[in-house]
């Protein structure tokens, strides 16, 4: 074969090798995150693939040369052995390499340069997919940013989110809708975000809300055998409940365990008495119905008031939790598990008539709550991190900002709102600019009527089509687990792949489609076709994952109670969850 023919063969082989290497790099699925999420860089992986392609091409050429040489030598007569063959020292060739061999080495080097230039000189960053390729060579690459965000979850010196939440709740207390504490806290968030968070803009949007004031309240159980003849019971009026008459309500208590039992007793037993729903906690979904509908159901049979065993798995016998009830014509209040059991024991003894001391349980309830419709204009809080390529398109991160008037709402849902804020701040702090706008919304009035969500939808109704994804956190922020997604199959599969590749080391990469609804406030967006997800955590007591037994128990120990303080939140878990949410947000914004 002539030298010119050899040159042409080598050129064509190198060209084919470059094309194969390019395809290998684009098609290799492990490039999205590095195999097994290890620490090897993208560049190392690309170099490996380039070398593999180059070596394969070179091997083919060398094999062709050997075949040619064997073919040529087979036509000659074998040479006679002449004795001793001179030894050639290592590292010093016995003869000058042939032109073909030199060209092989040259084209291997050229192949590496061509593919490297193609992959990095023209794209400027690793290719996740054609859709996710970045248009600008100067913007940090998606994968590099996501890895930086994930690593930020392990930066123990970053306690910004927890420190801010602690400071706000220490300064202003709870954030009941329409309260001064809510408005002062909202103003504080907007000020801090605008002063301290580079690249982000914070502002408020108006929301008209009702105002429910608890007022003074008390509950006493009459027990003649006690020194004072009565025992004061811990209680909390349920949100939106009517008040008692100014003199209170005194009546016997009838314990029931279901709406069916209430119906079977009927007016003859219930009328003129107070109903106690004493249903042990077996999960929030199973027991919340008694708090929500108990007063409406009991008033049908002539009850004068309703007491509800508090919704909590808490082992603290005196724990009492409030929450919304459907407003009825009779008042409703929550009492502790221990006091609910005390009342039922008294009831059973009185029915047995074994002793004159066993009297029927009787209580005096006093509540002075007030409800004012459309009492004031409050606000949602919005913090925007503008996108570079499609700023009009939005990836929304959220939690609700309002709380109940007990505790300070650090867990429900201060942590969820600040989780979203910190995720956006972490992205901004990398210096990267997401492809689409990342918007943080801290909702008003989730606890009673979702007025904040409805106001946002009305004010942005012409932009809803530009909302590409919405995420809400409102079930506690502990160790990150993942997302409960409501979206089409293609999006779910894409998120599953992202979670598996990027978030294993930190947590938060799991995807489920059936364990939890994404969230109360984003439901209106979900119903309008926006892909949605709820951010979920592990139970920090048992490490139970969403869907497993007692997964939600830790959260509901503090839910709507005086114990909902900053101590319910771990600063490092909050940071790790924020890093996980930040990674999700940046990936989704670049889809």
């Amino acid at each position: 074969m002539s030298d010119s023919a050899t040159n042409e063969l080598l050129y064509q082989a190198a060209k084919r090798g470059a094309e194969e290497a390019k395809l290998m790099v684009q098609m290799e699925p492990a490039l999205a995150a590095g195999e097994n999420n290890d620490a090897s860089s993208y560049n190392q992986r690309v170099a490996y693939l380039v070398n593999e392609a180059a070596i394969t091409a070179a091997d083919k050429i060398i094999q062709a040369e050997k075949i040619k040489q064997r073919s040529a030598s087979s036509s000659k007569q074998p040479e006679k052995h002449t004795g001793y063959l001179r030894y050639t020292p290592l590292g010093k060739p016995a003869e000058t390499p042939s032109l073909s061999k030199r060209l092989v080495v040259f084209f291997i080097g050229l192949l590496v340069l061509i593919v490297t230039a193609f992959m990095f000189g023209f794209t400027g960053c690793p290719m996740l997919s054609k859709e996710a390729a970045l248009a600008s060579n100067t913007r940090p690459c998606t994968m590099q940013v996501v890895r930086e965000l994930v690593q930020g979850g392990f930066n123990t010196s970053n306690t910004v989110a927890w420190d801010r939440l602690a400071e706000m709740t220490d300064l202003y207390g709870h954030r009941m809708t329409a309260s001064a504490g809510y408005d002062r806290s909202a103003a504080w968030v907007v000020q801090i975000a605008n002063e301290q968070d580079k690249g982000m803009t914070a502002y408020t949007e108006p929301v008209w809300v009702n105002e429910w004031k608890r007022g003074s309240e008390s509950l006493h159980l009459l027990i003649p055998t006690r020194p004072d003849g009565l025992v004061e019971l811990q209680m909390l009026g349920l949100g939106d409940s009517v008040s008692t008459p100014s003199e209170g309500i005194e009546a016997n208590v009838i314990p029931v365990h279901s709406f069916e039992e209430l119906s079977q007793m009927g007016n003859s037993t219930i009328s003129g008495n107070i109903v106690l729903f004493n249903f042990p906690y077996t999960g929030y979904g199973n027991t919340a119905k008694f708090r929500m509908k108990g007063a409406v159901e009991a008033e049908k049979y002539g009850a004068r008031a309703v007491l509800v065993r508090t919704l909590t798995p808490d082992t603290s016998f005196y724990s009492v939790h409030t929450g919304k009830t459907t407003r009825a014509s009779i008042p409703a209040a929550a009492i502790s598990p221990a006091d609910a059991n005390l009342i039922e024991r008294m009831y059973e003894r009185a029915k047995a008539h074994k002793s004159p001391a066993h009297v029927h349980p009787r209580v005096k309830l006093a509540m002075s709550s007030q409800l004012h419709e459309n009492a004031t204009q409050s606000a949602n809080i919005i913090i925007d991190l503008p996108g570079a390529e499609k700023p009009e398109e939005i990836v929304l991160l959220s939690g609700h900002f309002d709380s109940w008037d007990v505790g300070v709402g650090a867990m429900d849902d201060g942590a969820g709102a600040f989780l979203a804020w910190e995720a956006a701040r972490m992205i901004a702090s990398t210096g990267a600019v997401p492809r689409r706008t990342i918007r943080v919304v801290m909702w008003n009035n989730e606890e009673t009527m979702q007025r904040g969500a409805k106001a946002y939808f009305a004010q942005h109704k012409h932009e809803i089509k530009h909302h590409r994804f919405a995420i809400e956190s409102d079930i506690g922020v502990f160790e990150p687990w993942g997302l409960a997604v409501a979206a089409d199959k293609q999006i779910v599969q894409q998120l599953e792949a992202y979670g598996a590749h990027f978030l294993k080391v930190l947590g938060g990469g799991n995807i489920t489609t059936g364990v939890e609804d994404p969230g109360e406030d984003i439901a209106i967006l979900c119903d309008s076709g926006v892909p949605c997800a709820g951010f979920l955590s592990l139970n920090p007591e048992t490490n139970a994952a969403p869907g497993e037994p007692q997964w939600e128990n830790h959260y509901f120990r503090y839910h709507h109670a005086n114990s909902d303080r900053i101590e319910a939140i771990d600063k490092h878990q909050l940071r790790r969850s924020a890093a996980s949410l930040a990674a999700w947000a940046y990936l989704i914004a670049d889809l």
Side-chain angles (χ1 to χ4, degrees):
M1 184 181 292
S2 66
D3 285 345
S4 61
T6 301
N7 291 348
E8 179 62 22
L9 172 65
L10 292 171
Y11 171 76
Q12 293 298 331
K15 183 180 178 181
R16 287 196 302 273
E19 292 172 350
E20 291 175 5
K22 173 184 170 182
L23 288 173
M24 288 172 72
V25 171
Q26 289 178 334
M27 302 282 292
E28 173 63 41
L31 288 176
E35 291 184 329
N36 300 322
N37 246 353
D38 60 20
S40 63
S41 68
Y42 178 85
N43 293 4
Q44 290 173 331
R45 182 62 180 156
V46 169
Y48 168 77
L49 291 173
V50 170
N51 287 335
E52 287 293 301
I55 291 169
T56 300
D59 282 344
K60 290 179 181 178
I61 296 168
I62 293 170
Q63 289 299 323
E65 280 289 297
K66 288 182 178 179
I67 292 171
K68 182 188 74 172
Q69 291 171 2
R70 284 198 299 269
S71 176
S73 63
S74 63
S75 63
K76 298 180 181 179
Q77 293 295 324
E79 295 182 0
K80 187 176 180 180
H81 179 64
T82 57
Y84 174 73
L85 295 177
R86 188 171 71 87
Y87 167 70
T88 302
L90 188 65
K92 182 178 180 180
E95 58 181 355
T96 302
S98 67
L99 176 62
S100 297
K101 291 181 180 179
R102 282 180 286 168
L103 285 171
V104 168
V105 173
F106 170 77
F107 277 108
I108 289 174
L110 180 62
L111 175 62
V112 173
L113 289 175
I114 289 171
V115 177
T116 302
F118 176 82
M119 291 305 301
F120 298 102
F122 302 134
T123 66
C125 66
M127 296 175 64
L128 295 177
S129 67
K130 290 182 179 179
E131 292 77 11
L134 305 179
S136 170
N137 292 341
T138 58
R139 200 172 87 216
C141 304
T142 299
M143 188 172 64
Q144 294 169 343
V145 174
V146 170
R147 284 179 172 168
E148 184 176 345
L149 292 169
V150 169
Q151 287 303 312
F154 300 101
N155 178 12
T156 57
S157 65
N158 174 17
T159 58
V160 171
W162 192 92
D163 293 339
R164 286 177 169 180
L165 182 59
E167 182 177 352
M168 183 190 73
T169 54
D170 290 349
L171 286 173
Y172 305 114
H174 72 75
R175 301 173 306 285
M176 183 81 166
T177 291
S179 69
Y182 183 100
D183 293 338
R184 291 169 184 169
S185 297
W188 183 88
V189 168
V190 171
Q191 180 182 354
I192 293 298
N194 284 329
E195 289 179 353
Q196 299 181 11
D197 296 343
K198 185 178 180 181
M200 298 164 64
T201 302
Y203 53 100
T204 60
E205 291 183 344
V207 180
W208 280 96
V209 293
N210 294 348
E211 181 182 29
W212 183 79
K213 289 186 175 180
R214 180 175 301 280
S216 61
E217 54 188 20
S218 64
L219 178 66
H220 291 87
L221 175 61
L222 307 179
I223 306 179
T225 54
R226 297 288 184 100
D228 296 327
L230 53 81
V231 175
E232 183 174 3
L233 304 184
Q234 297 295 317
M235 58 83 68
L236 285 172
L238 296 180
D240 281 356
S241 173
V242 300
S243 64
T244 65
S246 57
E247 68 275 14
I249 295 174
E250 184 175 330
N252 288 348
V253 181
I254 308 295
V256 299
H257 308 92
S258 67
F259 291 141
E260 291 74 20
E261 185 180 0
L262 174 71
S263 177
Q264 290 169 5
M265 288 184 174
N267 290 69
S268 60
T269 302
I270 299 301
S271 183
N273 294 308
I274 294 173
V275 171
L276 165 64
F277 288 98
N278 189 21
F279 187 90
Y281 183 87
T282 56
Y284 190 75
N286 295 330
T287 50
K289 59 187 177 183
F290 299 111
R291 189 196 73 202
M292 290 293 297
K293 299 179 180 180
V296 171
E297 292 299 317
E299 71 177 345
K300 295 177 182 178
Y301 305 101
R304 298 183 64 190
V306 161
L307 301 177
V308 178
R309 177 181 176 136
T310 199
L311 275 63
T312 180
D314 203 335
T315 54
S316 172
F317 298 130
Y318 292 101
S319 177
V320 183
H321 302 236
T322 189
K324 177 181 169 56
T325 189
T326 302
R327 191 172 175 86
S329 63
I330 61 174
I335 63 174
S336 72
D339 289 336
N341 290 338
L342 168 61
I343 289 172
E344 179 148 4
R345 289 194 301 272
M346 291 179 64
Y347 178 79
E348 293 299 329
R349 291 189 190 109
K351 283 174 58 179
H353 301 295
K354 291 184 177 181
S355 169
H358 296 161
V359 298
H360 198 102
R362 189 173 182 84
V363 300
K364 182 172 183 179
L365 174 66
M367 295 171 56
S368 59
S369 55
Q370 298 178 7
L371 177 64
H372 303 285
E373 295 278 351
N374 298 316
T376 186
Q377 181 178 285
S378 188
N380 287 328
I381 303 168
I382 298 179
I383 305 173
D384 282 340
L385 176 60
E389 293 180 26
K390 298 183 177 182
E392 75 283 359
E393 297 187 1
I394 295 165
V395 174
L396 187 147
L397 313 179
S398 68
H400 70 83
F401 196 65
D402 64 311
S403 71
W404 284 102
D405 57 342
V406 292
V408 298
M411 187 193 69
D412 182 24
D413 185 32
F418 278 48
L419 170 74
W421 182 11
E422 177 65 4
R425 190 197 71 82
M426 291 178 81
I427 292 171
S429 68
T430 66
V433 181
R435 190 178 185 192
R436 295 175 172 85
T437 293
I438 292 176
R439 171 171 291 173
V440 174
V441 180
M442 300 185 186
W443 308 104
N444 199 336
N445 194 227
E446 184 275 342
E447 293 293 3
T448 56
M449 300 183 71
Q450 296 81 51
R451 288 278 185 89
K454 294 170 184 174
Y456 180 88
F457 190 85
Q459 292 171 50
H460 297 269
K461 60 184 178 181
H462 300 302
E463 303 172 14
I464 300 305
K465 61 184 178 182
H466 297 305
H467 284 63
R468 293 301 179 223
F469 209 91
I471 300 176
E472 180 174 352
S473 172
D474 187 20
I475 191 69
V477 180
F478 312 115
E479 290 294 350
W481 181 84
L483 303 176
V485 180
D488 64 41
K489 185 177 180 180
Q490 184 178 2
I491 292 176
V492 171
Q493 290 175 340
Q494 180 70 75
L495 296 178
E496 288 174 339
Y498 278 164
H501 285 310
F502 286 104
L503 289 161
K504 279 185 178 180
V505 66
L506 178 63
N510 296 286
I511 298 294
T512 181
T513 56
V515 174
E516 285 282 319
D517 292 331
E520 192 78 31
D521 286 306
I522 62 173
I524 192 170
L525 296 174
C526 306
D527 292 343
S528 299
V530 178
C532 294
F535 187 86
L536 306 181
S537 301
L538 294 170
N539 182 330
E541 298 174 17
T542 64
N543 214 38
E548 295 179 354
Q550 302 182 349
W551 161 66
E552 62 184 13
N553 281 12
H554 180 80
Y555 175 74
F556 285 110
R557 296 193 197 286
Y558 303 95
H559 182 250
H560 298 177
N562 280 302
S563 56
D564 186 355
R565 307 284 294 272
I566 190 63
E567 286 75 15
I569 303 300
D570 180 275
K571 61 182 66 178
H572 302 300
Q573 291 175 352
L574 179 56
R575 179 191 63 255
R576 288 190 286 271
S577 286
S580 176
L581 180 58
W584 277 121
Y586 198 85
L587 285 165
I588 292 170
D590 261 35
L591 277 174

